[in-house]
Amino acid sequence: MTDQGIKSRPKYQRLALDPSGRHHLLLIDGPALSSEAADAGFDIAACETWIVIRRSAVPPEPILAEAPGAIRPFRSTAHLFSALQDRLARETMGLRIYAAGTEDFLWDIHGIADQAGMSRQELRFCHVGSKARRIFCVHCRTITAGVKTSIVACSGCGASLFVRDHFSRRLAAFMGVQVDAEAPGEVPDAEEIYA
Amino acid sequence: MIADGPIPLRVHDIESLSPSLKRFSLTALHGGELPTAAPGAHIMLTLRGPDRVMKNAYSLVSPAACRDRYQIIVRHVAQSRGGSAFLHQGIRPGDVIEAAPPVNLFPLSQSARKHLLIGGGIGITPLLSYLPLLKARGARFELHQISSAEDVGVFERLLAPFAPGQEIRIHGGGRGAFDLAGILSRQPLGTHLYVCGPRPLMDAAASTAAALGWPPGKVHKESFGEAAGGLPFKAILARRGIEIDVGETQTLLEAIEATGIAAPCLCRGGACGECRLPVIEGEVEHRDDFLSAEEKAAQSAVMTCVSRARSARLVIDF
């Protein structure tokens, strides 16, 4: 059940610098790049790096350099996403984005980059951290976040949803389908498999 | 309607735009509407000259919404291989020409946030078909047309209907005065580049864009097979046991067609890959945009519409 053989399930790779890029922006869901997210030779100094520190006491911002080697801290992912939208609106062609974090983080960035007209050729993602999933209920359209189990109660309509590997890049969520649609009440036990 | 067979067209009108440019309006011979051709499409005309039959591809310049006629603009080149000279001198209003249904190998991207159009000389033609759609959609675009000094006036007239309020520039000083790297380096994220013109311009645009970090998927080229000539050679069609002489001003595809054999083809400009044939023996001088660098180095296939033999003989599995 951990690999359902579904092609839309995203595959990730350790980050490697794309030498064809002109500017490199590294986005990290955490205070630093974990060793499992990038090759040993990954040259972080070639990137402008944005980190999420999840603290209110963000160091006072000097005049922030938008340059390789600069590191810019954010209070939260929402804070980073908002700045990313503004930044991409005035970026020029040649940018490459590298992101390391949970799937929620990666695919929210994908959505912002897509809105700015970036293609998959300009993005590199590595999934690190929690395997918890965002589940889209195909019956009531509600998204339930942080799902760690094979079956989950929809936070919108309460249906017992089977968590599929079927992934929507547009919604940045996995598909959840009512597990007892054929035989009402027959709900298998939920197993924690997306820790 | 799915168009498959050839479309007979009547030459409705011929306008002289400049000493070397003519615009042909072609209508359906039997009346009615022509198949829709999306912006960037071309048609392949079968031109029956006095001594040989030529097949040439021309970009449509008429708007996609225009179904009552196809318009093409043809430049009469001094070293014409016959097609443009025949259209300029041998075709009159009322004549009938056969066309293959329109094919589009140079479509506009639906996800682009901005369209950067670069034309060189007569390479303006597919860009002209884009402009009505881009204007109608209110899409963001920028157009640069590189021109010889004598053609500036005609390009100004062709672009004038789209010019108000738009970033359209004609560079009359040729390639030298044109800051390609400057233009490519200041484009916003989400820009797609479309370039049509002579081979050196398209190569320069593609390599400059790559050096500035443009991903290959956002660079679109439309070639029109202008460099067709070369040294003569012998082509051997192994399956048929036929030996063909390919002349200096003839393409390999034309030489095969001249024997009456129908060879695969579509764009006739080295872009689509349809005419690819396996090579058994001999060295190919690759001139297409379709094969990868590895495939070209392997010398195992040839694009008959533009590529030639570097060796005296080329044996083809056909």
Side-chain angles (χ1 to χ4, degrees):
Chain A
M1 191 175 285
T2 48
D3 181 358
Q4 300 165 12
I6 288 176
K7 286 180 181 165
S8 63
R9 173 84 183 96
K11 291 187 175 69
Y12 305 96
Q13 283 185 319
R14 288 158 72 88
L15 300 177
L17 213 61
D18 174 3
S20 73
R22 182 160 54 128
H23 312 296
H24 306 274
L25 180 61
L26 170 64
L27 310 172
I28 304 169
D29 183 10
L33 190 63
S34 88
S35 57
E36 57 184 311
D39 290 331
F42 187 83
D43 183 12
I44 198 165
C47 304
E48 180 185 337
T49 302
W50 291 8
I51 57 176
V52 179
I53 59 171
R54 291 192 168 77
R55 279 190 287 115
S56 61
V58 170
E61 295 181 5
I63 296 173
L64 286 164
E66 293 182 347
I71 296 178
R72 183 172 172 184
F74 291 86
R75 291 169 174 238
S76 64
T77 55
H79 187 200
L80 182 149
F81 297 153
S82 155
L84 183 62
Q85 268 174 349
D86 294 344
R87 176 64 177 275
L88 296 187
R90 56 188 172 81
E91 264 296 337
T92 52
M93 289 294 290
L95 181 73
R96 296 292 181 277
I97 287 182
Y98 308 83
T102 63
E103 287 192 290
D104 291 3
F105 180 76
L106 300 179
W107 293 96
D108 283 344
I109 288 167
H110 178 270
I112 293 166
D114 180 63
Q115 273 299 309
M118 295 184 82
S119 62
R120 286 290 289 145
Q121 292 178 320
E122 294 154 279
L123 309 172
R124 303 280 184 281
F125 288 166
C126 183
H127 177 197
V128 290
S130 167
K131 306 257 184 301
R133 293 181 170 190
R134 205 181 254 166
I135 301 302
F136 176 79
C137 173
V138 300
H139 311 286
C140 82
R141 314 287 189 262
T142 301
I143 286 180
T144 303
V147 175
K148 296 180 176 171
T149 50
S150 57
I151 292 165
V152 67
C154 173
S155 59
C157 65
S160 293
L161 300 177
F162 173 62
V163 173
R164 287 171 56 85
D165 271 356
H166 186 148
F167 185 77
S168 163
R169 281 153 174 76
R170 181 176 65 84
L171 299 167
F174 288 90
M175 179 196 274
V177 185
Q178 185 155 357
V179 73
D180 59 343
E182 301 288 335
E186 279 185 28
V187 178
D189 289 337
E191 293 173 70
E192 184 169 308
I193 52 176
Y194 307 116
Chain B
M1 156 178 179
I2 296 170
D4 49 3
I7 306 169
L9 299 171
R10 185 179 295 286
V11 179
H12 180 73
D13 185 34
I14 304 172
E15 292 163 84
S16 185
L17 303 174
S18 82
S20 67
L21 294 178
K22 282 185 176 174
R23 177 162 53 200
F24 295 78
S25 292
L26 312 165
T27 54
L29 179 62
H30 304 299
E33 292 197 315
L34 292 162
T36 307
H42 68 263
I43 50 172
M44 185 175 74
L45 300 180
T46 301
L47 304 170
R48 298 183 190 283
D51 49 352
R52 63 190 173 114
V53 176
M54 294 157 284
K55 291 188 174 183
N56 283 25
Y58 295 94
S59 294
L60 296 175
V61 297
S62 35
C66 173
R67 300 277 303 275
D68 62 338
R69 64 185 187 280
Y70 290 149
Q71 288 186 317
I72 58 172
I73 296 177
V74 180
R75 160 155 279 165
H76 182 19
V77 278
Q79 61 278 46
S80 166
R81 293 185 301 109
S84 71
F86 178 73
L87 277 166
H88 268 252
Q89 290 152 6
I91 289 289
R92 302 276 173 271
D95 286 353
V96 175
I97 301 179
E98 199 172 83
V103 170
N104 197 352
L105 299 168
F106 197 48
L108 282 167
S109 159
Q110 300 302 311
S111 60
R113 296 300 180 272
K114 179 179 174 182
H115 306 269
L116 174 64
L117 318 178
I118 298 179
I122 193 64
I124 193 174
T125 50
L127 310 184
L128 287 172
S129 74
Y130 288 165
L131 296 175
L133 185 76
L134 294 174
K135 284 276 272 192
R137 288 190 180 168
R140 188 172 172 199
F141 72 90
E142 179 177 334
L143 184 150
H144 296 271
Q145 173 64 27
I146 302 165
S147 166
S148 59
E150 63 264 30
D151 281 334
V152 168
V154 65
F155 292 142
E156 274 175 355
R157 287 194 295 281
L158 288 168
L159 293 168
F162 310 103
Q166 299 293 344
E167 272 187 273
I168 293 182
R169 283 199 56 197
I170 298 167
H171 304 264
R175 269 286 307 289
F178 178 65
D179 182 14
L180 182 60
I183 290 166
L184 291 174
S185 64
R186 63 172 162 74
Q187 295 304 319
L189 273 188
T191 305
H192 280 243
L193 167 66
Y194 309 83
V195 55
C196 182
R199 171 71 45 194
L201 171 68
M202 296 203 299
D203 289 347
S207 62
T208 307
L212 290 168
W214 288 59
K218 288 181 173 171
V219 177
H220 312 279
K221 297 187 286 181
E222 174 83 323
S223 57
F224 40 77
E226 73 278 19
L231 290 174
F233 61 97
K234 279 197 192 305
I236 291 102
L237 308 186
R239 288 195 213 173
R240 291 168 171 79
I242 301 175
E243 193 171 300
I244 300 171
D245 286 308
V246 183
E248 283 176 40
T249 60
Q250 212 178 9
T251 68
L252 173 54
L253 176 61
E254 287 168 347
I256 296 172
E257 287 173 338
T259 67
I261 297 167
C265 71
L266 196 62
C267 74
R268 303 182 84 91
C272 74
E274 181 74 15
C275 68
R276 174 186 187 145
L277 291 178
V279 170
I280 297 169
E281 190 192 318
E283 194 185 347
V284 182
E285 182 190 330
H286 296 286
R287 295 179 177 182
D288 61 279
D289 292 312
F290 182 80
L291 294 173
S292 67
E294 294 78 42
E295 288 173 313
K296 285 179 179 172
Q299 291 283 349
S300 58
V302 59
M303 296 298 169
T304 62
C305 69
V306 290
S307 298
R308 306 179 67 83
R310 191 169 279 138
S311 48
R313 292 171 81 244
L314 192 67
V315 185
I316 301 167
D317 185 12
F318 182 63

